[in-house]
């Protein structure tokens, strides 16, 4: 039985030399051929640039230099592999001079060498910043390997410094001009960005499996200043967001990062084992803040206790699943004993949890059922033992958290098994590390956010979406198989999934941009149609017209007006000319009615080119346009033609998909109803990037983001987490939704934060 707490390094370690050799093999396997992959994309880019040139700028010098480099491709690949290998040799013997990367005598540096060094330094800094977290873990593990080998600590052989030095070493002596040098660096950075995330994840996992683990709990790597600053900015953002929930609920939903709490102040570290992360030593957190945060966690626990006791009294929990401390004198299980039960159950099929997630409120009962079963298998008598208050809190918080995630984040049924696998690992995390519920940067918390981002609203329609679901499923399997109270497993899994999600986020941004452009195009079309309808009504309503003139104004001329307003709205001359055509036709009909034949003939001759052009804009060819013109002339040539009043055209119909969208979210389908002016004014303060919770008329809630505000109508485009348009509504319509309780402004940006917020609201509501 595994009873130790997280952060304990595995005592059985593999031979460090063999581990280092395996790391070298994997590094060369993934990166060894990099120089050979650079030339093709650069050559294509040069060809594209030459085709786009104006005849004055030529790229033949770059192409000639690149052709020379391509002739030496094999030697460049070999030299690069040797330089990377020298980095591993230098790690084993840090004092030696290997590969010309250090220890050379002082000498003058040429301009090309200096340019390569400066560009290399910039690239090194960019890569170190980008991969800061996995590099810190690799650095710590390599230090442990150096100690195991009895050698001083050397440079990371697969870090950005070594990889960039290996690159510059093979090209600094080549004949490369400035333009080609910049292209080489840019392409090399692109290739590294494509490969390093996966490589660093594999290497970290390899070293952790070999026994060179790093505790990510209390004494783990410090949070980088930039990351800490970003974390503080995320917390402060909530201060300026309007929230329609009561103040108490809003305050309870704000996530806090506090670290060290004893069991007496709300921690879950039974037997005096409080998870400590040096929170009291953090200069950014005052003692008053720590006390306030501890008080808030204590309040959450008191809410849990009141909720649990209320459920027992109301019969909401079966007697066998209720807290048993007051039923008979029983021994409370220790934390390590419950963790051992969870470790026994962790690799077993998650069918019971998947079924429980399908029924709200059943997960906590199922977790206790499974733990009781594990207790029996380990020789504990459930009639003589019970969970402690801290253990009950951990179980209930995990159950409420997962239930909230599954209820409020548009997760498909196929994602249920992914979450079901994670239930028991997260119970273990909650038992041994209470920071998961309060610390935004906790690895287990960040992984759950990433998995929810990958699964929310994902129906697997596209290959990219299916890849995301498969990767999330694989990662949940890996957590089940690898997690043994070492939080580094969560950190590595998050880094891998986040690398894939970064590409997905770029696709979502493009989807949002397309939705905004499509919405703006529809608004412009709707505005043009409304103006054209108003112009037609104004002219048809002036008096009695022949049927031919009325039909021409209602159909071809209206379409022509729409085209002019859409394409040439900024040209007042074209707009005035199109309007004058309508007025001239009404005048021609009047001349015909008064039998003023000569003036009518002159009027029609003058209008013929414009009328033909108007008909052509409706898609008619020249012959059909001439035929339409002839029909108009025939109708006006007879003074006694029947003239009558004609009904003006009705308002433009709303597209079916927009009508369906408004029926889904707007009561009555049009969002009509009285609104609170103050609430509407607050809605106008929403900006792109603000998150909201929107509930449709069927009661389903989805997280939506303000993606765009129309410069034409000031309406807000709301998209879901997949970047798909959900609703376009005015501030007044949003105010109506908020007043009816179906719109909540100020939703949390991450799934875990929002789930904890919903847990607090649920406890408040039930109590």
């Amino acid at each position: 039985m595994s009873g130790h707490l997280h952060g304990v390094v595995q005592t059985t370690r593999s031979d460090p030399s063999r581990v280092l050799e395996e790391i070298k093999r994997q590094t060369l396997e993934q990166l060894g051929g990099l120089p050979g992959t650079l030339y093709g994309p650069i050559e294509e880019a040069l060809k594209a640039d030459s085709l786009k040139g104006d005849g004055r700028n030529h790229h033949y010098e770059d192409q000639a230099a690149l052709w020379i480099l391509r002739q030496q491709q094999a030697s460049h690949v070999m030299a690069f592999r040797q330089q990377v290998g020298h980095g591993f040799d230098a790690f084993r013997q840090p004092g030696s001079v290997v590969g010309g990367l250090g220890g050379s005598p002082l000498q003058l540096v040429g301009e090309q060498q200096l340019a390569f060094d400066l560009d290399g330094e910039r690239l090194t800094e960019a890569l170190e910043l980008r991969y800061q977290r996995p590099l810190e873990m690799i650095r710590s593990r390599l230090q442990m390997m150096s100690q195991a080998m009895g050698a001083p600590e050397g440079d990371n052989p697969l870090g950005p410094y070594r990889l960039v030095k290996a690159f510059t070493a093979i090209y600094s002596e080549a004949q490369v001009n400035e333009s080609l040098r910049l292209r080489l660096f840019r392409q090399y950075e692109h290739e590294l960005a494509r490969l390093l995330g996966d490589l660093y994840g594999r290497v970290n996992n390899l070293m952790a499996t070999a026994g060179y683990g790093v505790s990510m709990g209390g004494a783990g790597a410090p949070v980088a200043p930039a990351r800490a600053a970003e974390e503080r900015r995320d917390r402060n953002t909530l201060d300026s967001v309007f929230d329609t929930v009561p103040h108490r609920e809003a305050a309870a939903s704000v996530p806090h990062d506090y670290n060290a709490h004893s069991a007496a102040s709300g921690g879950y570290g039974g037997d005096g084992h409080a998870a400590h992360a040096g929170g009291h030593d953090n200069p950014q957190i005052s003692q008053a803040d720590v006390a306030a945060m501890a008080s808030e966690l204590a309040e959450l626990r008191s809410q849990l206790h009141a909720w649990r006791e209320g459920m027992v009294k109301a019969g909401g929990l079966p007697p066998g699943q209720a807290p048993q401390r007051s039923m008979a004198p029983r021994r409370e299980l220790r934390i390590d004993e419950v963790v051992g039960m969870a470790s026994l159950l962790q690799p077993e099929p998650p069918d019971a949890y998947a079924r429980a997630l399908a029924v709200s409120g059943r997960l906590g009962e199922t977790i206790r059922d499974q733990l009781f079963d594990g207790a029996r298998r380990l020789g504990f008598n459930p009639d003589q033992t019970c969970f402690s208050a801290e253990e009950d809190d951990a179980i209930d918080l995990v159950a409420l958290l997962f239930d909230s995630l599954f209820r409020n984040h548009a997760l498909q049924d196929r994602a249920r098994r992914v979450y079901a696998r994670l239930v028991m690992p997260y119970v273990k995390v909650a038992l041994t590390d209470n920071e998961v519920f309060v610390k935004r940067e906790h690895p287990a918390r960040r992984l759950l956010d990433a998995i929810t981002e990958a699964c929310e609203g994902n129906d697997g329609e596209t290959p990219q979406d299916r890849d995301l679901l498969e990767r999330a499923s694989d990662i949940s399997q890996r957590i089940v198989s690898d997690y043994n109270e070492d939080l580094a497993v969560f950190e590595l899994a998050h880094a891998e999934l986040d690398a894939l999600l970064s590409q997905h986020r770029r696709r979502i941004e493009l989807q949002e941009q397309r939705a905004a452009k499509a919405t703006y195009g529809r608004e412009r079309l709707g505005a043009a149609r409304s103006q054209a309808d108003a112009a037609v009504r104004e002219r048809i309503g002036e008096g009695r017209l022949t049927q031919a003139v009325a039909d021409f104004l209602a159909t071809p001329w209206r379409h022509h007006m729409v085209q002019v307003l859409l394409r040439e709205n900024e040209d007042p001359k074209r707009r005035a000319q199109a309007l004058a055509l309508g007025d001239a036709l009404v005048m021609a009909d009047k001349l015909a009615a008064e039998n003023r034949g000569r003036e009518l003939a002159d009027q029609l001759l003058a209008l013929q080119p414009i009328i033909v052009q108007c008909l052509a804009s409706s898609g008619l060819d020249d012959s059909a346009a001439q035929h339409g013109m002839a029909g108009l002339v025939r109708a006006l040539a007879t003074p006694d033609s029947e003239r009558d009043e004609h009904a003006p055209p009705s308002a433009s119909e709303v597209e079916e998909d927009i009508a369906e969208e408004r029926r889904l979210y707007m009561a009555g389908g049009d969002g009509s109803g009285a609104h609170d002016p103050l609430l509407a004014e607050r809605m106008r303060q929403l900006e792109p990037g603000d998150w909201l919770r929107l509930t449709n008329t069927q009661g389903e809630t989805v997280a939506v983001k303000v993606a765009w505000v129309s410069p034409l109508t000031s309406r807000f485009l709301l998209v879901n987490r997949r970047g798909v348009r959900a609703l376009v509504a005015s501030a007044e319509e949003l105010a109506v939704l908020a007043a009816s309780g179906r719109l909540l402004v100020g939703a949390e940006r991450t799934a875990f934060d929002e789930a904890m917020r919903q847990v607090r609201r649920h406890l408040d509501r039930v109590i």
Side-chain angles (χ1 to χ4, degrees):
M1 178 182 71
S2 175
H4 62 278
L5 300 179
H6 75 87
V8 180
V9 180
Q10 182 179 335
T11 56
T12 304
R13 294 176 176 173
S14 303
D15 181 9
S17 299
R18 295 180 58 185
V19 175
L20 191 64
E21 195 62 31
E22 177 62 20
I23 296 173
K24 177 181 177 181
R25 185 192 67 78
Q26 293 193 14
T27 302
L28 291 175
E29 183 178 299
Q30 286 198 252
L31 304 182
L34 270 183
T37 66
L38 306 179
Y39 306 135
I42 294 176
E43 185 176 18
E44 294 296 325
L46 287 173
K47 289 180 180 178
D49 289 346
S50 63
L51 292 175
K52 290 188 295 185
D54 55 4
R56 292 175 294 181
N57 297 322
H58 301 284
H59 302 276
Y60 63 89
E61 294 180 359
D62 290 355
Q63 292 172 339
L66 183 65
W67 183 83
I68 295 175
L69 291 180
R70 297 203 71 159
Q71 303 306 309
Q72 304 170 355
Q73 175 176 326
S75 60
H76 290 164
V77 171
M78 183 65 67
F80 181 79
R81 293 176 65 90
Q82 288 176 350
Q83 291 291 347
V84 173
H86 289 329
F88 284 88
D89 295 338
F91 177 78
R92 291 188 179 92
Q93 300 176 348
S96 63
V97 179
V98 183
L101 295 183
S104 58
L106 294 177
Q107 57 184 348
L108 294 177
V109 178
E111 291 185 3
Q112 179 166 312
Q113 179 67 49
L114 182 60
F116 266 92
D117 289 343
L118 292 175
D119 289 341
E121 289 177 5
R122 285 191 287 267
L123 178 55
T124 301
E125 292 176 359
L127 293 173
E128 287 181 344
L129 182 62
R130 180 170 186 170
Y131 297 102
Q132 182 176 9
R133 298 286 291 180
L135 283 171
E136 287 175 355
M137 299 173 65
I138 290 176
R139 193 173 297 116
S140 300
R141 290 187 163 103
L142 287 175
Q143 182 180 6
M144 298 171 65
M145 292 177 62
S146 297
Q147 294 172 355
M149 292 188 296
E153 182 182 1
D155 290 334
N156 182 355
L158 65 159
Y161 172 77
R162 278 288 177 183
L163 296 178
V164 173
K165 278 293 184 182
F167 174 75
T168 57
I170 63 174
Y171 288 110
S172 58
E173 299 298 328
Q175 297 300 317
V176 177
N177 57 27
E178 180 180 3
S179 173
L180 184 56
R181 186 187 75 247
L182 295 176
R183 291 179 184 273
L184 284 169
F185 269 98
R186 192 180 307 120
Q187 188 62 32
Y188 185 59
E189 180 179 7
H190 173 76
E191 294 296 328
L192 286 179
R194 184 174 61 86
L195 298 173
L196 281 187
D198 180 63
L199 174 63
Y200 288 162
R202 289 174 180 270
V203 170
N204 265 315
N205 192 32
L206 172 63
M207 288 191 286
T209 305
Y212 300 94
V214 178
S215 171
M216 298 304 295
V223 178
R227 187 176 295 275
E230 179 183 355
E231 181 179 330
R232 291 194 297 274
R233 285 197 301 272
D234 289 342
R235 291 200 300 269
N236 294 336
T237 301
L238 293 173
D239 298 337
S240 61
V241 176
F242 168 65
D243 198 338
T244 59
V245 297
H247 176 73
R248 169 184 170 86
E249 294 180 352
S253 69
V254 178
H256 295 291
D257 290 39
Y258 50 103
N259 300 311
H261 308 293
S262 65
S265 64
Y268 300 143
D271 302 328
H273 293 90
H276 179 72
H280 295 287
D281 300 327
N282 189 344
Q284 301 294 339
I285 302 178
S286 66
Q287 293 293 334
D289 291 335
V290 171
M293 295 170 185
S295 175
E296 188 172 347
L297 183 56
E299 181 183 357
L300 175 61
R301 292 188 62 197
S302 67
Q303 287 177 308
L304 276 171
H305 298 164
W307 166 76
R308 205 155 46 228
E309 296 301 327
M311 293 289 287
V312 173
K313 293 177 181 177
L317 289 177
Q321 310 302 330
Q324 302 168 347
R325 292 176 297 281
S326 60
M327 298 177 62
R330 302 185 181 193
R331 182 180 73 84
E332 291 186 356
L333 292 166
R334 298 193 310 272
I335 290 289
D336 59 333
E337 292 173 338
V338 182
V339 169
M341 300 171 193
S343 298
L344 176 67
L345 298 168
Q346 183 171 303
E348 296 190 353
D351 298 338
Y353 309 119
R355 289 192 296 269
L357 283 172
V359 181
S360 181
R362 288 292 305 276
L363 185 58
E365 176 184 340
T366 303
I367 293 173
R368 286 188 172 87
D369 270 338
Q370 298 299 312
L371 287 175
F372 287 150
D373 182 62
R376 292 187 187 93
R377 284 191 263 170
L378 291 174
F380 295 97
N381 187 349
D383 296 330
Q384 298 176 359
T385 56
C386 65
F387 296 125
S388 67
E390 292 79 10
E391 293 158 357
D392 276 326
D393 290 345
I395 293 169
D396 286 332
L397 274 177
V398 170
L400 290 170
L401 170 70
F402 274 74
D403 193 64
S404 177
L405 281 171
F406 211 80
R407 298 287 168 266
N408 298 303
H409 287 84
L411 297 171
Q412 308 292 328
D413 285 341
R414 63 190 304 172
R416 189 187 306 154
R417 196 168 183 85
V418 174
Y419 285 82
R421 293 192 197 104
L422 297 173
V423 168
M424 199 52 68
Y426 274 81
V427 169
K428 289 172 62 178
V429 172
L431 287 168
T432 59
D433 187 0
N434 60 346
E435 290 184 352
V436 68
F437 297 110
V438 294
K439 186 177 180 182
R440 187 184 294 271
E441 288 296 316
H442 195 284
R445 185 180 187 129
R446 297 173 68 203
L447 176 62
L448 205 55
D449 283 336
I451 289 177
T452 304
E453 183 180 350
C455 295
E456 184 172 13
N458 189 347
D459 51 11
E461 287 187 353
T462 66
Q464 294 83 3
D465 287 343
R466 288 193 291 273
D467 188 27
L468 265 180
L469 286 175
E470 291 171 3
R471 188 68 62 89
S473 179
D474 292 344
I475 283 176
S476 68
Q477 290 276 27
R478 189 185 311 166
I479 294 297
V480 168
S481 61
D482 294 350
Y483 174 54
N484 190 23
E485 291 88 70
D486 183 0
L487 294 180
V489 175
F490 291 93
E491 185 78 17
L492 294 171
H494 171 263
E496 177 183 335
L497 184 57
D498 193 61
L500 183 61
L501 282 171
S502 62
Q503 305 172 14
H504 184 68
R505 294 184 193 111
R506 287 193 289 271
R507 288 195 296 270
I508 290 177
E509 290 175 3
L510 294 175
Q511 181 79 7
E512 291 177 3
Q513 294 172 10
R514 286 193 290 268
K517 290 179 180 178
T519 303
Y520 187 50
R522 281 174 168 171
E523 287 191 345
R524 291 186 64 236
L525 177 59
R529 285 174 174 173
S530 298
Q531 294 181 51
D533 289 342
V536 172
R537 284 193 295 269
E538 181 181 347
R539 284 150 184 82
I540 289 181
E542 286 185 352
R544 304 167 70 87
L545 299 173
T546 60
Q547 187 66 41
V549 172
D551 290 345
F552 187 90
L553 290 175
T555 308
W557 183 72
R558 175 186 176 275
H559 181 76
H560 179 63
M561 280 296 304
V562 171
Q563 298 298 316
V564 169
L565 290 171
L566 282 176
R567 298 176 182 174
E568 303 175 65
N569 193 31
E570 297 181 359
D571 188 351
K573 183 178 178 181
R574 290 280 297 161
R575 187 171 183 272
Q577 185 183 35
L579 289 171
L581 173 60
D583 295 332
L585 284 172
V586 174
M587 178 57 70
D589 191 281
K590 184 178 180 181
L591 292 175
E594 296 174 357
N595 200 15
R596 296 158 63 179
R598 181 173 292 278
E599 295 177 54
L600 174 62
D602 293 340
Q603 179 89 330
L604 291 176
L605 287 173
L607 291 177
Q608 179 180 2
I610 305 175
I611 293 176
V612 172
Q613 181 183 1
C614 174
L615 291 169
S617 69
S618 299
L620 301 179
D621 58 18
D622 186 65
S623 175
Q626 292 291 346
H627 182 73
M629 177 68 187
L632 193 60
V633 171
R634 282 195 303 272
L636 293 174
T638 306
D640 57 351
S641 295
E642 182 181 354
R643 287 172 172 80
D644 200 355
E645 294 181 355
H646 299 275
S650 59
S652 302
E653 295 183 358
V654 180
E655 290 87 343
E656 180 58 31
D657 56 344
I658 298 179
E660 178 62 28
E661 164 192 303
R662 299 184 74 77
R663 283 194 296 269
L664 182 61
Y665 291 104
M666 297 290 190
D670 56 359
S672 60
H675 65 275
D676 183 353
L678 179 59
L679 196 54
E681 182 60 31
R682 287 176 172 174
M683 292 298 170
R684 292 189 187 95
Q685 298 173 6
L686 292 173
E687 296 180 353
D690 289 343
W691 284 95
L692 308 89
R693 302 287 297 177
L694 182 63
T695 304
N696 62 23
T697 53
Q698 281 76 43
E700 299 173 346
T701 301
V702 63
V704 293
K705 184 179 72 171
V706 178
W708 174 75
V709 181
S710 170
L712 190 62
T713 63
S714 298
R715 296 196 303 170
F716 297 89
L717 168 64
L718 307 182
V719 299
N720 61 20
R721 292 191 186 272
R722 318 301 293 179
V724 178
R725 167 176 163 153
L727 178 66
V728 176
S730 64
E732 292 77 14
E733 291 169 334
L734 294 181
V736 172
L737 286 172
S740 64
R742 293 196 290 114
L743 179 70
L744 178 64
V745 182
E748 302 291 353
R749 296 190 177 189
T750 63
F752 201 108
D753 289 340
E754 182 61 26
M756 288 303 298
R757 172 184 181 151
Q758 296 296 329
V759 166
R760 291 178 183 276
R761 294 185 66 197
H762 170 72
L763 294 177
D764 274 344
R765 191 164 51 246
V766 173
I767 293 173

